[in-house]
Amino acid sequence: MNGRRVRLAVLAPLAVSSLAWGTVTFSATTAAAASPTCSVRNTDNPRNLLVSGKDFRPNKSVAVESADGAEGSVRADATGRFTLTVTDASGTVSAQQIGGSVVGCGTAEEGEQGNAQEQYKKGFDQGFATVRKNCEATEPQQGFAAVDPNFEKGFKDGAKQASRQFCED
């Protein structure tokens, strides 16, 4: 009888600690899961909107739609990321996987604003760098396409800044 009590006394704590270990491991895994997010951005084509998402369930379809009914679907990659171009989207854009919650990505107007800011920054950087190299330069380098007005404003502001820093005596 004594041998049996000793074995139970040794085995019972091991069984309880292994159960506790399993619970801790499960909780840590659950806490590490991130919530899906997405964003919108304009493309070179004014009719298109680029929707990007991350932290979705890997290799599962994601449905994207805008308030006016423009829609599309795409499969998240192995890391849970996706990008999708939606045509004629306006209003609020959202994404959802089956069984998941609806994730707000933003509005088409935010995509336009983000694109304007991006164009301004590119113009500013190019204007600053161009005038820093050559104080006589005043115009952005043009290709065949018309220069974006936000890029042009950024270029002029960047050129002014560089002129003040490097060209004035």
Side-chain angles (χ1 to χ4, degrees):
M1 199 67 131
N2 264 345
R4 186 170 183 203
R5 282 189 184 158
V6 170
R7 280 186 292 212
L8 283 176
V10 170
L11 293 176
L14 289 174
V16 170
S17 65
S18 66
L19 287 175
W21 176 266
T23 304
V24 170
T25 303
F26 178 74
S27 297
T29 304
T30 304
S35 297
T37 59
C38 60
S39 61
V40 295
R41 187 172 151 251
N42 276 20
T43 65
D44 291 337
N45 182 341
R47 293 184 57 209
N48 293 340
L49 193 64
L50 184 67
V51 181
S52 301
K54 65 179 185 175
D55 297 327
F56 283 79
R57 288 191 313 258
N59 303 314
K60 301 287 182 188
S61 292
V62 178
V64 176
E65 64 179 11
S66 74
D68 72 347
E71 60 184 35
S73 76
V74 64
R75 183 174 292 275
D77 67 14
T79 65
R81 294 177 176 265
F82 74 86
T83 57
L84 176 70
T85 301
V86 180
T87 303
D88 293 330
S90 65
T92 302
V93 177
S94 60
Q96 180 180 23
Q97 284 184 313
I98 293 176
S101 59
V102 175
V103 179
C105 302
T107 64
E109 293 75 22
E110 288 170 342
E112 291 170 13
Q113 182 180 5
N115 194 44
Q117 291 169 344
E118 184 178 313
Q119 287 296 320
Y120 178 87
K121 182 174 178 353
K122 284 181 182 177
F124 186 94
D125 292 346
Q126 186 179 344
F128 188 89
T130 300
V131 172
R132 184 176 184 181
K133 286 182 192 173
N134 176 5
C135 289
E136 304 300 315
T138 58
E139 295 294 320
Q141 298 172 345
Q142 292 187 338
F144 294 106
V147 176
D148 181 277
N150 298 301
F151 180 91
E152 190 170 16
K153 180 170 177 14
F155 184 93
K156 288 179 182 178
D157 291 349
K160 274 187 214 173
Q161 180 70 29
S163 179
R164 276 186 245 138
Q165 281 184 264
F166 304 107
C167 301
E168 294 178 0
D169 293 18

